[in-house]
């Protein structure tokens, strides 16, 4: 979302200043904004490092591309060509080794190309992080020794997500590697509408149609797999565990089972099959719908990255270059000052905060809902009676 290695270096310098003066600043009384930045100095450091990395991928330094990793793969169609972007470019050497080729900058197809690139990168990032969240749910279930969650939640969730969006990620990678012009929108839509139909020019590899049918069937099987087995197995285990325990007090009339706080009857009454089934149904529907909405939610990476890039371009071209077009030194100085303030307060201040908040939301909602359950523990008030029962 914040891919510009010029802006990243500015953030890095600010974070290093806060870290190196850590002892001195921690003993001083700071204003609210400085205190907030000081408290998140290590977060700002990480944000700066990753914004430099993403900026090198996007090849943007205050919105200006550089030939850092070698020459562009494209050149003008003719040697006498004066305007490569108007006359057109042809590929003359191997692809640019790292990041976006500088020749895309200013071309007529720059925006469609970058939109396609960033959208696909967002999907790959989102599917990878959601798979990591599901994988963490396995370790959570294993830690609590809950085999039912592994068999009837972890496995079907992994199958459902990767049958649809894992397959889409695979298609994106194959398209990038082969240079195919297949329409992935068409492939995914007709995977549901016409699974057995001919793919035609949208076929990326041999056996693609058969694989799509198999993945669609696996996705359909995974939904009832998540929904039905777990509640019925819990009901069966509960009946087997407490069968006969409810009748052990029938031989005597002196003991009242209700007077015992941890009696078999009270534990038996705690299990409500309808409540368990509804809870599992809500969880299953939420995951199925969330697989679609959460993947779409990761497209905010693309949207904010595009917004940051375009804002940076506007400030550079409409402020700095515009002021530099005049011969007046004062006009140039004013343009530079306005550009510096716009960069510092809007791009480094507001945009970095916006990117941080959106990243935080993606972690909390799209990522952590795959494994984190903030249910807590049932409150049990202190009682000497229950303490004595536990000791017995």
């Amino acid at each position: 979302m914040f891919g510009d290695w010029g802006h990243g270096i500015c953030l890095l310098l600010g974070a290093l200043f806060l870290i190196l003066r850590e002892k001195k600043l921690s003993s001083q009384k700071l204003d609210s904004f400085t205190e907030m930045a000081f408290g998140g100095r290590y977060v700002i450091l990480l944000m700066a490092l990753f914004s430099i990395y993403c900026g090198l991928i996007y090849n943007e330094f205050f919105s200006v591309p550089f030939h850092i990793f070698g020459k562009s793969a494209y050149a003008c169609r003719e040697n006498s060509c004066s305007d490569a972007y108007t006359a057109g470019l042809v590929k003359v050497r191997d692809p640019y080794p790292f990041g976006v080729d500088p020749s895309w900058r200013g071309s007529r197809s720059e925006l469609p190309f970058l939109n396609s690139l960033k959208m696909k990168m967002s999907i790959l990032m989102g599917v990878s992080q959601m798979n990591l969240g599901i994988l963490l749910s396995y370790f959570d279930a294993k830690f609590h020794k809950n085999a039912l969650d592994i068999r009837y939640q972890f496995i079907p969730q992994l199958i459902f997500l990767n049958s649809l969006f894992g397959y889409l990620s695979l298609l994106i990678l194959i398209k990038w590697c082969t240079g195919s012009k297949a329409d992935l929108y068409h492939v995914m839509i007709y995977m549901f509408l016409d699974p057995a139909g001919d793919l035609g020019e949208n076929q990326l590899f041999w056996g693609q149609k058969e694989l799509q049918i198999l993945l669609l069937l696996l996705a359909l099987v995974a939904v009832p797999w998540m929904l039905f087995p777990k509640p019925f197995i819990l009901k069966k285990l509960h009946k087997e565990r407490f069968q006969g325990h409810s009748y052990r007090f029938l031989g005597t009339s002196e003991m009242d089972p209700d007077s015992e706080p941890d009696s078999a009857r009270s534990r038996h009454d705690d299990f409500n099959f309808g409540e368990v089934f509804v809870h599992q149904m809500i969880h299953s529907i939420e995951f199925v719908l969330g697989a679609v909405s959460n993947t779409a939610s990761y497209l905010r990476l693309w949207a904010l990255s595009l917004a940051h890039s375009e804002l940076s371009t506007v400030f550079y071209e409409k402020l700095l270059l515009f002021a530099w077009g005049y011969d007046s030194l004062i006009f140039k100085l004013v343009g530079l000052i306005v550009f510096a303030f716009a960069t510092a307060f809007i791009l480094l201040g507001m945009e970095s905060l916006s990117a941080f908040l959106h990243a935080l939301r993606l972690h909390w909602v799209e990522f952590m809902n795959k494994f984190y359950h903030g249910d807590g523990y049932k409150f049990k008030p202190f009682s000497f009676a229950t303490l004595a029962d536990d000791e017995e």
Side-chain angles (χ1 to χ4, degrees), residues 18 26 54 67 90 136 152 157 163 215 219 227 302 320 322 382:
L18 293 173
S26 59
C54 286
H67 293 78
V90 289
L136 289 177
Y152 304 108
Q157 285 179 0
S163 294
L215 291 174
L227 176 59
W302 159 42
L320 192 62
F322 178 75
F382 179 77

Side-chain angles (χ1 to χ4, degrees), residues 81-130:
C81 171
S82 59
D83 188 357
Y85 302 119
T86 305
L89 298 170
V90 289
K91 191 171 183 179
V92 295
R93 57 180 66 91
D94 291 334
Y96 194 68
F98 185 86
V100 174
D101 195 304
S103 293
W104 285 104
R105 176 69 178 182
S107 65
R108 286 172 293 180
S109 53
E110 177 192 11
L111 201 56
F113 170 75
L114 290 179
N115 276 339
S116 175
L117 173 69
K118 292 179 179 181
M119 180 178 66
K120 290 179 173 68
M121 285 176 64
S122 300
I123 292 172
L124 291 176
M125 180 74 72
V127 172
S128 301
Q129 192 178 38
M130 287 191 291

Side-chain angles (χ1 to χ4, degrees), residues 276-294:
V276 171
F277 186 82
V278 169
H279 180 270
Q280 187 65 23
M281 182 172 66
I282 292 171
H283 188 273
S284 302
I285 294 172
E286 185 181 12
F287 179 83
V288 171
L289 297 179
V292 181
S293 64
N294 291 352

